[in-house]
Amino acid sequence: EITTGTSDGNRAHLSAGLNWKAANGSLVFETRVKPLTAITTRAMFIGLTDSVAQENPIEYATTTITSTASDAVGFMIDTAGTVAKWHMAAVKADVDVISLTAGPVKWDGANQDVFVADTYETFRLHVNTDGDAVFMYGKDAGAKYGLREVGRTSDCVTTTVLLTPHVGIEARTTAAKSAYVDYIFMEGGRG
């Protein structure tokens, strides 16, 4: 379980060491996450980033993206944004690769629902040796659909930069936010 403090902007996250880079071989990251508290007034980033610091690597307010990380790729949701749904996001060498205009993650051709309390969602990324990423997503609601590809984009991260898996949450109000992280799977090539 990860839980923020009770101040606006307080963060909690899980990460590992900076041990993986795409230049050494393709990377695979997967995690399964379930929010425990109110799904409103929060931001989350789930993916790979270049820092183990207590930060939200990519977030947005209204329609403006803010990238704290220099290199990161993953899924983000931010209730301070105009569209508070999951988005695919990346920043490479301090330049945003995917903006909000890329739109939210799609679910069977329609915008997927916002986070639902007490429902697990699975997120998977494949990053190849060119820094290209494939985004996969699955929601446990009704167990109708398994993990499936929801998007892909080229040149997402600098391939020689060390990355860590990251599951993070940030409070957007003065109430604590919590989520269960069922597992984190990380695999990479050896150079």
mmCIF file of all heavy atoms in Angstrom, residues 57-68 76 78-83 87 96 98-101 172:
data_model
loop_
_atom_site.group_PDB
_atom_site.id
_atom_site.type_symbol
_atom_site.label_atom_id
_atom_site.label_comp_id
_atom_site.label_asym_id
_atom_site.label_seq_id
_atom_site.Cartn_x
_atom_site.Cartn_y
_atom_site.Cartn_z
ATOM 1 N N PRO A 57 6.771 12.240 -12.113
ATOM 2 C CA PRO A 57 7.585 12.502 -13.293
ATOM 3 C C PRO A 57 6.903 13.327 -14.380
ATOM 4 O O PRO A 57 7.525 14.178 -14.993
ATOM 5 C CB PRO A 57 7.937 11.112 -13.810
ATOM 6 C CG PRO A 57 7.800 10.224 -12.626
ATOM 7 C CD PRO A 57 6.700 10.811 -11.802
ATOM 8 N N ILE A 58 5.610 13.049 -14.631
ATOM 9 C CA ILE A 58 4.851 13.790 -15.638
ATOM 10 C C ILE A 58 3.449 14.023 -15.075
ATOM 11 O O ILE A 58 2.804 13.084 -14.624
ATOM 12 C CB ILE A 58 4.752 13.035 -16.977
ATOM 13 C CG1 ILE A 58 6.139 12.664 -17.505
ATOM 14 C CG2 ILE A 58 3.998 13.875 -18.005
ATOM 15 C CD1 ILE A 58 6.119 11.767 -18.737
ATOM 16 N N GLU A 59 2.990 15.269 -15.106
ATOM 17 C CA GLU A 59 1.647 15.602 -14.631
ATOM 18 C C GLU A 59 1.130 16.772 -15.441
ATOM 19 O O GLU A 59 1.851 17.335 -16.259
ATOM 20 C CB GLU A 59 1.677 15.936 -13.135
ATOM 21 C CG GLU A 59 2.597 17.063 -12.768
ATOM 22 C CD GLU A 59 2.806 17.189 -11.268
ATOM 23 O OE1 GLU A 59 2.041 16.595 -10.491
ATOM 24 O OE2 GLU A 59 3.743 17.883 -10.867
ATOM 25 N N TYR A 60 -0.126 17.129 -15.212
ATOM 26 C CA TYR A 60 -0.666 18.286 -15.914
ATOM 27 C C TYR A 60 -1.764 18.960 -15.104
ATOM 28 O O TYR A 60 -2.394 18.361 -14.260
ATOM 29 C CB TYR A 60 -1.163 17.930 -17.311
ATOM 30 C CG TYR A 60 -2.344 16.986 -17.381
ATOM 31 C CD1 TYR A 60 -3.646 17.464 -17.490
ATOM 32 C CD2 TYR A 60 -2.168 15.610 -17.355
ATOM 33 C CE1 TYR A 60 -4.729 16.600 -17.568
ATOM 34 C CE2 TYR A 60 -3.238 14.745 -17.426
ATOM 35 C CZ TYR A 60 -4.508 15.239 -17.541
ATOM 36 O OH TYR A 60 -5.569 14.386 -17.618
ATOM 37 N N ALA A 61 -1.903 20.232 -15.401
ATOM 38 C CA ALA A 61 -2.983 21.030 -14.821
ATOM 39 C C ALA A 61 -3.726 21.669 -15.982
ATOM 40 O O ALA A 61 -3.106 22.228 -16.890
ATOM 41 C CB ALA A 61 -2.425 22.095 -13.886
ATOM 42 N N THR A 62 -5.010 21.547 -15.982
ATOM 43 C CA THR A 62 -5.874 22.004 -17.082
ATOM 44 C C THR A 62 -5.419 21.314 -18.364
ATOM 45 O O THR A 62 -5.774 20.179 -18.597
ATOM 46 C CB THR A 62 -5.879 23.542 -17.202
ATOM 47 O OG1 THR A 62 -6.066 24.098 -15.913
ATOM 48 C CG2 THR A 62 -7.019 24.001 -18.108
ATOM 49 N N THR A 63 -4.603 21.952 -19.195
ATOM 50 C CA THR A 63 -4.080 21.298 -20.406
ATOM 51 C C THR A 63 -2.573 21.475 -20.522
ATOM 52 O O THR A 63 -1.996 21.249 -21.581
ATOM 53 C CB THR A 63 -4.749 21.867 -21.674
ATOM 54 O OG1 THR A 63 -4.513 23.277 -21.723
ATOM 55 C CG2 THR A 63 -6.228 21.581 -21.693
ATOM 56 N N THR A 64 -1.909 21.879 -19.443
ATOM 57 C CA THR A 64 -0.464 22.119 -19.482
ATOM 58 C C THR A 64 0.285 20.968 -18.831
ATOM 59 O O THR A 64 0.067 20.654 -17.663
ATOM 60 C CB THR A 64 -0.120 23.433 -18.749
ATOM 61 O OG1 THR A 64 -0.857 24.494 -19.347
ATOM 62 C CG2 THR A 64 1.368 23.717 -18.821
ATOM 63 N N ILE A 65 1.188 20.355 -19.592
ATOM 64 C CA ILE A 65 2.006 19.267 -19.077
ATOM 65 C C ILE A 65 3.214 19.848 -18.347
ATOM 66 O O ILE A 65 3.833 20.796 -18.805
ATOM 67 C CB ILE A 65 2.485 18.353 -20.224
ATOM 68 C CG1 ILE A 65 1.308 17.564 -20.782
ATOM 69 C CG2 ILE A 65 3.581 17.413 -19.747
ATOM 70 C CD1 ILE A 65 1.666 16.650 -21.918
ATOM 71 N N THR A 66 3.546 19.243 -17.222
ATOM 72 C CA THR A 66 4.777 19.566 -16.501
ATOM 73 C C THR A 66 5.573 18.282 -16.357
ATOM 74 O O THR A 66 5.070 17.294 -15.816
ATOM 75 C CB THR A 66 4.469 20.127 -15.098
ATOM 76 O OG1 THR A 66 3.635 21.270 -15.240
ATOM 77 C CG2 THR A 66 5.747 20.512 -14.380
ATOM 78 N N SER A 67 6.794 18.291 -16.856
ATOM 79 C CA SER A 67 7.662 17.122 -16.764
ATOM 80 C C SER A 67 8.769 17.408 -15.766
ATOM 81 O O SER A 67 9.635 18.234 -16.029
ATOM 82 C CB SER A 67 8.268 16.802 -18.129
ATOM 83 O OG SER A 67 7.261 16.572 -19.077
ATOM 84 N N THR A 68 8.737 16.747 -14.627
ATOM 85 C CA THR A 68 9.810 16.855 -13.652
ATOM 86 C C THR A 68 10.983 16.000 -14.086
ATOM 87 O O THR A 68 12.135 16.374 -13.919
ATOM 88 C CB THR A 68 9.314 16.412 -12.262
ATOM 89 O OG1 THR A 68 8.146 17.158 -11.954
ATOM 90 C CG2 THR A 68 10.355 16.647 -11.201
ATOM 91 N N MET A 76 -0.361 8.430 -17.150
ATOM 92 C CA MET A 76 -0.605 9.451 -16.130
ATOM 93 C C MET A 76 -2.078 9.792 -16.095
ATOM 94 O O MET A 76 -2.775 9.722 -17.099
ATOM 95 C CB MET A 76 0.224 10.704 -16.391
ATOM 96 C CG MET A 76 -0.248 11.532 -17.553
ATOM 97 S SD MET A 76 0.495 13.162 -17.531
ATOM 98 C CE MET A 76 -0.195 13.814 -19.053
ATOM 99 N N ASP A 78 -4.462 12.861 -13.904
ATOM 100 C CA ASP A 78 -4.365 14.009 -13.013
ATOM 101 C C ASP A 78 -5.721 14.689 -12.987
ATOM 102 O O ASP A 78 -6.194 15.197 -14.005
ATOM 103 C CB ASP A 78 -3.286 14.973 -13.502
ATOM 104 C CG ASP A 78 -2.847 15.974 -12.457
ATOM 105 O OD1 ASP A 78 -3.672 16.318 -11.579
ATOM 106 O OD2 ASP A 78 -1.694 16.413 -12.505
ATOM 107 N N THR A 79 -6.355 14.691 -11.832
ATOM 108 C CA THR A 79 -7.692 15.285 -11.744
ATOM 109 C C THR A 79 -7.646 16.806 -11.817
ATOM 110 O O THR A 79 -8.690 17.442 -11.899
ATOM 111 C CB THR A 79 -8.421 14.831 -10.467
ATOM 112 O OG1 THR A 79 -7.640 15.198 -9.326
ATOM 113 C CG2 THR A 79 -8.649 13.333 -10.482
ATOM 114 N N ALA A 80 -6.436 17.386 -11.824
ATOM 115 C CA ALA A 80 -6.301 18.829 -12.055
ATOM 116 C C ALA A 80 -6.353 19.135 -13.555
ATOM 117 O O ALA A 80 -6.405 20.291 -13.958
ATOM 118 C CB ALA A 80 -4.990 19.355 -11.467
ATOM 119 N N GLY A 81 -6.342 18.096 -14.381
ATOM 120 C CA GLY A 81 -6.386 18.263 -15.827
ATOM 121 C C GLY A 81 -7.799 18.400 -16.347
ATOM 122 O O GLY A 81 -8.765 17.997 -15.697
ATOM 123 N N THR A 82 -7.920 18.964 -17.537
ATOM 124 C CA THR A 82 -9.230 19.126 -18.175
ATOM 125 C C THR A 82 -9.872 17.766 -18.434
ATOM 126 O O THR A 82 -11.076 17.599 -18.287
ATOM 127 C CB THR A 82 -9.079 19.896 -19.498
ATOM 128 O OG1 THR A 82 -8.485 21.157 -19.205
ATOM 129 C CG2 THR A 82 -10.407 20.111 -20.175
ATOM 130 N N VAL A 83 -9.070 16.781 -18.836
ATOM 131 C CA VAL A 83 -9.553 15.426 -19.091
ATOM 132 C C VAL A 83 -8.915 14.512 -18.050
ATOM 133 O O VAL A 83 -7.770 14.111 -18.188
ATOM 134 C CB VAL A 83 -9.192 14.964 -20.519
ATOM 135 C CG1 VAL A 83 -9.729 13.562 -20.767
ATOM 136 C CG2 VAL A 83 -9.733 15.932 -21.556
ATOM 137 N N HIS A 87 -3.785 8.934 -19.581
ATOM 138 C CA HIS A 87 -3.123 9.363 -20.801
ATOM 139 C C HIS A 87 -1.787 8.641 -20.916
ATOM 140 O O HIS A 87 -1.159 8.321 -19.911
ATOM 141 C CB HIS A 87 -2.830 10.871 -20.770
ATOM 142 C CG HIS A 87 -4.039 11.723 -20.953
ATOM 143 N ND1 HIS A 87 -5.002 11.868 -19.981
ATOM 144 C CD2 HIS A 87 -4.433 12.474 -21.992
ATOM 145 C CE1 HIS A 87 -5.938 12.680 -20.421
ATOM 146 N NE2 HIS A 87 -5.615 13.064 -21.632
ATOM 147 N N ASP A 96 8.818 17.036 -24.011
ATOM 148 C CA ASP A 96 7.620 16.200 -23.983
ATOM 149 C C ASP A 96 7.404 15.559 -25.340
ATOM 150 O O ASP A 96 7.385 16.236 -26.361
ATOM 151 C CB ASP A 96 6.392 17.037 -23.602
ATOM 152 C CG ASP A 96 6.482 17.554 -22.180
ATOM 153 O OD1 ASP A 96 7.042 16.843 -21.331
ATOM 154 O OD2 ASP A 96 5.991 18.666 -21.926
ATOM 155 N N ILE A 98 4.789 13.091 -25.870
ATOM 156 C CA ILE A 98 3.351 12.932 -26.062
ATOM 157 C C ILE A 98 2.663 14.025 -25.255
ATOM 158 O O ILE A 98 2.935 14.199 -24.081
ATOM 159 C CB ILE A 98 2.864 11.560 -25.577
ATOM 160 C CG1 ILE A 98 3.604 10.433 -26.306
ATOM 161 C CG2 ILE A 98 1.368 11.411 -25.789
ATOM 162 C CD1 ILE A 98 3.275 9.067 -25.785
ATOM 163 N N SER A 99 1.773 14.739 -25.897
ATOM 164 C CA SER A 99 1.032 15.779 -25.194
ATOM 165 C C SER A 99 -0.394 15.322 -24.959
ATOM 166 O O SER A 99 -0.806 14.264 -25.419
ATOM 167 C CB SER A 99 1.035 17.064 -26.024
ATOM 168 O OG SER A 99 0.241 16.885 -27.174
ATOM 169 N N LEU A 100 -1.173 16.144 -24.285
ATOM 170 C CA LEU A 100 -2.575 15.816 -24.039
ATOM 171 C C LEU A 100 -3.361 15.685 -25.327
ATOM 172 O O LEU A 100 -4.380 15.019 -25.354
ATOM 173 C CB LEU A 100 -3.213 16.889 -23.153
ATOM 174 C CG LEU A 100 -2.670 16.943 -21.732
ATOM 175 C CD1 LEU A 100 -3.322 18.071 -20.962
ATOM 176 C CD2 LEU A 100 -2.892 15.632 -21.034
ATOM 177 N N THR A 101 -2.882 16.309 -26.403
ATOM 178 C CA THR A 101 -3.603 16.200 -27.665
ATOM 179 C C THR A 101 -3.583 14.772 -28.191
ATOM 180 O O THR A 101 -4.354 14.431 -29.065
ATOM 181 C CB THR A 101 -3.016 17.153 -28.718
ATOM 182 O OG1 THR A 101 -1.624 16.860 -28.884
ATOM 183 C CG2 THR A 101 -3.166 18.602 -28.291
ATOM 184 N N ARG A 172 -4.097 15.969 -4.382
ATOM 185 C CA ARG A 172 -4.476 17.270 -4.932
ATOM 186 C C ARG A 172 -5.416 18.003 -3.975
ATOM 187 O O ARG A 172 -6.150 18.876 -4.373
ATOM 188 C CB ARG A 172 -5.163 17.087 -6.291
ATOM 189 C CG ARG A 172 -4.247 16.619 -7.384
ATOM 190 C CD ARG A 172 -3.410 17.778 -7.864
ATOM 191 N NE ARG A 172 -2.624 17.409 -9.028
ATOM 192 C CZ ARG A 172 -1.300 17.419 -9.043
ATOM 193 N NH1 ARG A 172 -0.623 17.757 -7.977
ATOM 194 N NH2 ARG A 172 -0.661 17.083 -10.132
#
